[in-house]
Amino acid sequence: MRILLIEDEADIADALARFLRAQGHAVDHAPDLDSARAALDVAVFDTILLDLALPDGSGLSLLRDLRRGGNRVPVIIATARDQISERIAGLDAGADDYVVKPYDLAEIEARLRAHARRASGDPATESHLGGLRIDRAGARLYRGEAEIRLTSREWALFDALLSARGRVLSKQVLEERLYAFDDAIEGNAVEVYVSRLRGKLGAEAIQTRRGLGYLIP
C-alpha cells in the first residue's frame, strides 16, 4: 500500500513513517500543503494520512479540493484538534476517518488498511485463494493450519494484486504501490518478488500476461 503522510511535525512523521515502512508500506512524507499537492500531481496513493494544522494552511483545504476534483482516495485526518465541531467539519469535508493525537501506531496502520480495503471494493478481512486462507487484517496467509511466512514487501505485492483480483497490474503500477519517491528500485524488483511468491504459494497463484503485467485470477 502506498501512503501519503501529510504531517509537519518531524518527530511524529519520522516515527510513523518508520513504523509503516516496517509493515511493508511505501510512505511519502509531505510536510506542507505545497509538497502534498506536488506529490498528488505525480503519484496515485492508496490512502492519505492528513494533519490539519500545516505551515501553509489547513489540511481541510486540500481535502475539499480532492473531493471537488473527484478524487476518492481514503483520507484519515490525524490531528491534535479534538473539538466535536472540528471532527464534524473534517468528516463533512470528505474525510473517511478522524483520529486525535496522540494515537497508537498499530491502530493507525489498521485503520489505513481497513479504508484501503473498502476503497478497493473488498472490505472483507478474510478471503480464500485456492487452498489458501488470507487474513488481510492481520497480514497473514495460511495453507490449512500452517502459516506461510511472507516478508513485508512480498505481502505488499500480494495484497496489491489481491485488491485488483482478476485485473492485470503492470510492472509500473506495482512499483508505484511498493516504493516511495526516495526508494531505490532495482530494475527487476517486481519480477523477483513475483518469483518468490510463486515459490511459496504455487506457480499458478500469480499469472503473467506477457507485455502487460501480472494478476491473481
Side-chain angles (χ1 to χ4, degrees):
M1 184 165 64
R2 190 166 183 180
I3 301 165
L4 178 59
L5 170 60
I6 308 173
E7 169 63 63
D8 67 318
E9 295 187 46
D11 290 345
I12 293 176
D14 181 63
L16 186 53
R18 282 190 288 108
F19 179 82
L20 292 172
R21 287 167 183 148
Q23 311 311 306
H25 305 299
V27 181
D28 290 297
H29 172 225
D32 52 42
L33 292 177
D34 280 348
S35 53
R37 294 182 194 278
L40 287 162
D41 282 343
V42 298
V44 175
F45 295 93
D46 297 294
T47 53
I48 295 174
L49 193 62
L50 175 65
D51 192 10
L52 292 183
L54 296 165
D56 50 352
S58 170
L60 286 184
S61 65
L62 174 65
L63 177 56
R64 293 188 182 104
D65 287 346
L66 286 173
R67 297 312 188 221
R68 279 196 293 263
N71 191 326
R72 309 314 303 168
V73 59
V75 176
I76 299 177
I77 291 175
T79 179
R81 298 177 179 177
D82 62 353
Q83 297 296 314
I84 293 298
S85 59
E86 291 170 329
R87 292 173 184 253
I88 292 171
L91 295 170
D92 282 347
D96 298 271
D97 207 343
Y98 192 110
V99 296
V100 177
K101 299 174 183 176
Y103 44 70
D104 182 80
L105 298 181
E107 181 184 355
I108 285 289
E109 196 259 345
R111 288 175 184 257
L112 288 165
R113 285 190 281 107
H115 286 294
R117 286 196 306 271
R118 293 188 186 99
S120 74
D122 183 14
T125 59
E126 184 169 295
S127 59
H128 293 81
L129 178 65
L132 302 174
R133 178 168 61 87
I134 306 158
D135 174 10
R136 297 184 70 185
R140 294 179 180 275
L141 187 62
Y142 300 88
R143 181 178 285 114
E145 295 302 315
E147 183 177 354
I148 301 172
R149 299 283 184 176
L150 300 182
T151 68
S152 58
R153 278 274 162 80
E154 288 168 356
W155 174 265
L157 179 62
F158 177 70
D159 191 53
L161 289 167
L162 192 66
S163 295
R165 190 169 182 176
R167 294 188 286 115
V168 177
L169 296 184
S170 69
K171 176 182 174 180
Q172 180 181 352
V173 166
L174 290 169
E175 286 177 343
E176 290 175 352
R177 294 286 294 274
L178 293 174
Y179 296 98
F181 291 124
D182 295 333
D183 291 337
I185 307 174
E186 295 184 9
N188 64 340
V190 170
E191 290 90 340
V192 168
Y193 287 122
V194 168
S195 177
R196 290 178 182 174
L197 283 170
R198 284 172 172 159
K200 294 180 179 182
L201 311 182
E204 298 304 315
I206 300 174
Q207 296 183 1
T208 301
R209 293 290 185 266
R210 192 169 300 279
L212 298 175
Y214 303 94
L215 82 156
I216 290 177

